């Protein structure tokens, strides 16, 4: 299946130190022996350092490095324990392992999983989170890890039973099982600020975060479908969910693209509004979410993880500036239709600027 160029109104960018980050992430994976030797050999070819460098193009280099090493670690869990390992079909046993890992993240001094490479890597990541973040950011990182783990246990129960959830349940699972929320605290650490509590927990801010997670994971589903379907085992992505719901493969592709286009246009409007109305920290946070979205897109169309050169995926090489769906109506997905209740009506500040530009 050929994937057409996707809509993206966010400009691309990459941290100038991306090549150094890449080299050090490979060294980190080796030092901590993340994943089996075979999995690690694959992961270090996936340009995960460049991915982090695209997500944080102007971030503090040490935090870009932390993000890169953490994403490699996450793939050690997601590929190694969940999607390719036996634990991924045994939700109860998976929950037990993940609870122990969570204790290591929360209290790295506890004598648990002392010979386990993922626990060893996690202790190192926790020490660096403490070094670059506040106590509140470290606590949020742990609790977001918990919600990621909770969602992959749900996913494992579907994998074990060979079942496919409906669209609303899948959406709810996918807001967490792409590990996007665990990255959010790092966006702040990369620029050395902290959102103020009244902004941090505002429901419009959570809507913007969830919209960013939706676009990042829908894009991943569209761009990783070739890899996932081709692997031959159980796979779960939005295209499969839509096909199980009765759509053809072509209809599923255009429906998923329309959904992410509609959410992305709403995200841009909402984040413009929050940037204009909020504190300087809010402006930085919204810029961080946007870079996360765009960085995931640029990495998604270029990493050999998804292009799979030996059996080429039909991925686009660029993005378009026109959405296939810019409707302001809520998507008919029960779990998330509330988002449209917080998107401001009328043109966003950016749309207003463009409309009043001289010569128009
Ligand atoms: C992604 O879903 C799984 C995460 C654990 C990947 C770690 C990456 C991030 C936290 C950053 C951005 C999120 C993405 C790329 C979704 P999935 O479908 O298992 O990833 P895959 O690469 O196998 O398609
Ligand atoms: Mg060590
Ligand atoms: Mg996964
Ligand atoms: Mg995967
Ligand atoms: Mg995927």
């Amino acid at each position: 299946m050929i994937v057409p160029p996707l809509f993206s109104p966010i400009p691309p960018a990459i941290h100038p130190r991306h090549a150094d980050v890449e080299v050090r992430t490979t060294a980190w994976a080796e030092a901590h022996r993340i994943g089996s030797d075979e999995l690690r050999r694959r992961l270090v070819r996936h340009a995960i350092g460049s991915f982090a460098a695209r997500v944080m193009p102007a971030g503090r280099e040490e935090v870009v490095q932390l993000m890169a090493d953490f994403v490699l670690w996450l793939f050690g869990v997601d590929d190694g324990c969940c999607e390719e390992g036996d634990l991924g079909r045994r939700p109860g046993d998976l929950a037990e392992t993940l609870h122990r890992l969570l204790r290591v993240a929360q209290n790295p001094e506890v004598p648990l999983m002392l010979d386990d490479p993922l626990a060893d890597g996690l202790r190192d990541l926790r020490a660096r989170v403490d070094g670059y973040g506040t106590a509140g950011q470290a606590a949020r990182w742990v609790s977001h890890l918990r919600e990621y783990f909770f969602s992959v246990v749900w996913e494992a129960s579907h994998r074990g039973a060979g079942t496919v959830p409906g669209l609303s349940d899948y959406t709810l699972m996918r807001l967490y099982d792409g590990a996007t929320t665990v990255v959010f605290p790092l966006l702040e650490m990369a620029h050395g600020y902290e959102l103020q509590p009244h902004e941090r927990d505002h429901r419009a801010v959570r809507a913007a975060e969830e919209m960013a997670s939706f676009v990042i994971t829908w894009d991943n589903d569209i761009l990783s479908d070739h890899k996932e379907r081709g692997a031959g085992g159980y796979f779960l992505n939005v295209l499969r969910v839509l096909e199980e719901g009765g759509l053809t493969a072509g209809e599923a592709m255009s429906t998923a693209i329309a959904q992410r286009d509609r959410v992305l246009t709403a995200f841009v409007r909402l984040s413009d509004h929050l940037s204009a109305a909020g504190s300087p920290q809010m402006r930085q946070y919204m810029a961080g979410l946007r870079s996360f979205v765009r960085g995931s897109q640029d990495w998604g169309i270029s990493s050999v993880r998804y292009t799979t050169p030996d059996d080429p995926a039909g991925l686009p090489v660029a993005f378009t500036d026109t959405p296939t769906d810019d409707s302001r109506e809520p998507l008919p997905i029960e779990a998330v239709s509330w988002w449209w209740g917080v998107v401001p009506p009328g043109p966003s500040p950016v749309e207003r600027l463009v409309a009043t530009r001289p010569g128009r």
Side-chain angles (χ1 to χ4, degrees), residues 210-325:
E210 291 188 4
M211 289 173 176
S213 290
F214 183 101
V215 174
I216 291 165
T217 53
W218 253 236
D219 285 352
N220 172 270
D221 285 358
I222 291 164
L223 298 171
S224 66
D225 181 65
H226 176 81
K227 161 183 92 74
E228 290 166 355
R229 225 173 265 264
Y234 176 88
F235 72 100
L236 182 57
N237 64 38
V238 68
L239 300 177
R240 176 147 194 216
V241 168
L242 293 169
E243 286 166 28
E244 293 285 327
L247 301 189
T248 65
E251 290 164 349
M253 179 65 75
S254 54
T255 300
I257 290 173
Q259 289 169 340
R260 54 81 75 194
D261 286 1
R262 197 189 295 198
V263 175
L264 182 48
T265 53
F267 168 73
V268 169
R269 298 170 58 76
L270 178 58
S271 61
D272 276 347
H273 167 76
L274 290 170
S275 296
S279 66
Q281 294 91 322
M282 176 75 87
R283 254 188 301 292
Q284 287 184 288
Y285 193 59
M286 291 301 130
L289 290 179
R290 284 173 184 238
S291 296
F292 191 8
V293 170
R294 180 64 202 230
S296 303
Q297 293 168 337
D298 287 315
W299 180 67
I301 64 169
S302 61
S303 172
V304 298
R305 182 174 171 88
Y306 307 113
T307 62
T308 61
D310 292 341
D311 169 25
L315 302 189
V317 296
F319 293 88
T320 74
D321 51 18
T322 325
T324 65
D325 181 344

Side-chain angles (χ1 to χ4, degrees), residues 68 89 113 162 307 331 344:
R89 297 178 186 281
M113 303 180 86
T307 62
L331 278 179

Side-chain angles (χ1 to χ4, degrees), residues 4-321:
L6 301 171
F7 165 61
S8 187
I10 305 166
I14 187 164
H15 196 285
R17 306 281 291 165
H18 62 93
D20 302 276
V21 173
E22 198 70 71
V23 169
R24 288 192 295 255
T25 290
T26 298
W28 187 86
E30 294 299 339
H32 294 279
R33 307 196 63 74
I34 301 299
S36 65
D37 292 349
E38 191 272 325
L39 173 58
R40 187 163 65 255
R41 254 194 306 278
R42 278 186 278 142
L43 291 179
V44 299
R45 294 176 58 239
H46 291 164
I48 292 170
S50 306
F51 174 44
R54 293 181 189 283
V55 171
M56 300 168 169
R60 177 175 181 174
E61 186 176 345
E62 293 90 338
V63 181
V64 180
Q65 191 69 56
L66 170 59
M67 157 97 182
D69 298 350
F70 180 45
V71 169
L72 188 135
W73 182 90
L74 283 167
F75 280 124
V77 174
D78 212 72
D79 292 349
C81 299
C82 302
E83 295 182 11
E84 299 172 7
D86 307 336
L87 273 186
R89 297 178 186 281
R90 304 200 313 266
D93 295 332
L94 179 63
E96 179 180 319
T97 297
L98 297 178
H99 268 77
R100 292 194 187 117
L101 276 175
L102 209 45
R103 194 59 173 171
V104 169
Q106 198 165 38
N107 287 91
E109 70 279 17
V110 296
L112 289 177
M113 303 180 86
L114 292 174
D115 296 325
D116 185 283
L118 286 172
D120 179 55
L122 188 56
R123 286 189 168 88
D124 178 70
L125 295 167
R126 168 67 204 228
R128 292 154 71 193
V129 164
D130 283 340
Y132 304 116
T134 65
Q137 286 166 335
R140 240 184 353 268
W141 178 72
V142 173
S143 70
H144 290 193
L145 202 53
R146 189 183 304 276
E147 66 193 17
Y148 161 66
F149 286 171
F150 195 27
S151 70
V152 296
V153 168
W154 187 10
E155 186 189 46
S157 94
H158 279 291
R159 188 178 296 108
T163 50
V164 174
L167 181 60
S168 185
D169 274 353
Y170 177 71
T171 302
L172 197 49
M173 182 189 299
R174 200 69 175 124
L175 290 180
Y176 305 103
D177 78 4
T180 48
T181 68
V182 200
V183 171
F184 294 154
L186 303 189
L187 300 177
E188 297 177 35
M189 292 176 210
H191 295 274
Y193 69 93
E194 191 163 32
L195 269 185
Q196 300 168 38
H198 70 279
E199 292 187 326
R200 158 85 275 144
D201 296 317
H202 196 288
R203 90 195 213 105
V205 176
R206 185 159 56 83
E209 291 173 333
E210 291 188 4
M211 289 173 176
S213 290
F214 183 101
V215 174
I216 291 165
T217 53
W218 253 236
D219 285 352
N220 172 270
D221 285 358
I222 291 164
L223 298 171
S224 66
D225 181 65
H226 176 81
K227 161 183 92 74
E228 290 166 355
R229 225 173 265 264
Y234 176 88
F235 72 100
L236 182 57
N237 64 38
V238 68
L239 300 177
R240 176 147 194 216
V241 168
L242 293 169
E243 286 166 28
E244 293 285 327
L247 301 189
T248 65
E251 290 164 349
M253 179 65 75
S254 54
T255 300
I257 290 173
Q259 289 169 340
R260 54 81 75 194
D261 286 1
R262 197 189 295 198
V263 175
L264 182 48
T265 53
F267 168 73
V268 169
R269 298 170 58 76
L270 178 58
S271 61
D272 276 347
H273 167 76
L274 290 170
S275 296
S279 66
Q281 294 91 322
M282 176 75 87
R283 254 188 301 292
Q284 287 184 288
Y285 193 59
M286 291 301 130
L289 290 179
R290 284 173 184 238
S291 296
F292 191 8
V293 170
R294 180 64 202 230
S296 303
Q297 293 168 337
D298 287 315
W299 180 67
I301 64 169
S302 61
S303 172
V304 298
R305 182 174 171 88
Y306 307 113
T307 62
T308 61
D310 292 341
D311 169 25
L315 302 189
V317 296
F319 293 88
T320 74
D321 51 18

